[in-house]
Amino acid sequence: MNIKHILPSDIEKESFRIIKSELEETGRKLPEELEPTIIRVIHTTADFEYAETLMFSYNVIEKAKDAIRRGAHIVTDTNMALSGISKKTLAKYGGELHCFMADEEVAIEAKQRQVTRAYVSMEKAAKIDAPLIFAIGNAPTALVKLWELMNAETANFRPELIIGVPVGFVNVVEAKELIINSNVPFIVNRGRKGGSGVAAAICNSILYNIN
């Protein structure tokens, strides 16, 4: 076994090089504007299937960057995703990170209404007075609630971006399709795969590549 000696500062760069090389070997050419996001997700998961299953609405990366420049806040459905997103980079543009899953009032209300905390969390997040990006990596009910809020009769709620990458088996595929078929800018991974790490990776790929 031949272990490579690589400086810690070069590990990520070498990983990205390997990913690009292996994609090229299989004949897959990534769109230039989407490449940083797809490669960072593959780097996070070691799963090349994301090159096929990640779905992007038209011009979504530039729209997301513009929203961040305007001080967009990012809302997640897990503290794991919250901890993985670069707060320092987001703060440079005036943005903040939020996760209401551990909020005591959210927990009480969810229990009373017999819905998930993620469902109630989205209602609370929708009231934030700022451009909003949602990074959902765990709870399909969060995507369902966002879809309901956007389609309410008195709807004036429209996120700047919904990242829909929950992982699982119950209502996951269906909830993702709701977002794909809505009129909101989206980045969604079709199928059952995803997770908090993927949601954070997508956010960071956008944050790290703002010019």
Side-chain angles (χ1 to χ4, degrees):
M1 184 178 295
N2 187 18
I3 301 295
K4 297 179 181 178
H5 176 69
I6 300 175
L7 293 172
S9 58
D10 291 335
I11 291 174
E12 182 176 277
K13 187 187 298 182
E14 176 64 6
S15 296
F16 282 19
R17 185 197 66 75
I18 291 168
I19 292 166
K20 288 182 182 180
S21 174
E22 293 193 16
L23 284 169
E24 289 172 3
E25 286 173 9
T26 61
R28 282 180 282 193
K29 176 68 175 174
L30 302 179
E32 184 178 351
E33 70 276 16
L34 306 181
E35 183 180 88
T37 298
I38 295 170
I39 286 179
R40 187 164 288 278
V41 170
I42 294 172
H43 174 251
T44 298
T45 61
D47 187 343
F48 280 84
E49 189 173 315
Y50 282 100
E52 306 295 335
T53 57
L54 275 171
M55 312 294 293
F56 300 82
S57 62
Y58 175 73
N59 204 30
V60 65
I61 301 297
E62 283 308 312
K63 289 178 180 177
K65 290 178 180 178
D66 178 65
I68 291 167
R69 292 188 194 103
R70 291 185 283 110
H73 291 208
I74 298 177
V75 178
T76 77
D77 65 331
T78 66
N79 283 306
M80 183 181 294
L82 186 80
S83 66
I85 297 168
S86 177
K87 297 178 181 65
K88 183 178 180 180
T89 307
L90 183 62
K92 287 197 312 187
Y93 303 97
E96 298 177 19
L97 279 166
H98 306 273
C99 179
F100 299 117
M101 292 295 287
D103 187 287
E104 187 175 348
E105 290 181 1
V106 167
I108 291 170
E109 185 174 346
K111 187 174 182 180
Q112 288 173 342
R113 292 168 57 187
Q114 295 188 316
V115 295
T116 67
R117 284 182 293 163
Y119 191 90
V120 178
S121 290
M122 296 303 105
E123 294 175 338
K124 183 167 183 172
K127 297 174 184 175
I128 297 171
D129 186 17
L132 294 174
I133 291 171
F134 289 86
I136 309 303
N138 184 66
T141 53
L143 296 183
V144 172
K145 185 65 211 183
L146 291 174
W147 183 86
E148 290 176 356
L149 289 167
M150 290 187 293
N151 288 278
E153 287 186 13
T154 57
N156 58 1
F157 171 73
R158 189 174 187 273
E160 301 289 332
L161 165 64
I162 295 178
I163 297 167
V165 292
V167 59
F169 298 93
V170 179
N171 293 327
V172 167
V173 173
E174 295 82 356
K176 290 175 179 178
E177 292 299 319
L178 284 178
I179 302 305
I180 289 172
N181 291 306
S182 70
N183 64 354
V184 71
F186 68 81
I187 301 173
V188 170
N189 190 61
R190 271 200 158 120
R192 294 171 169 175
K193 292 182 181 180
S196 297
V198 174
I202 291 170
C203 290
N204 287 334
S205 73
I206 296 168
L207 287 166
Y208 296 157
N209 287 284
I210 296 177
N211 299 321

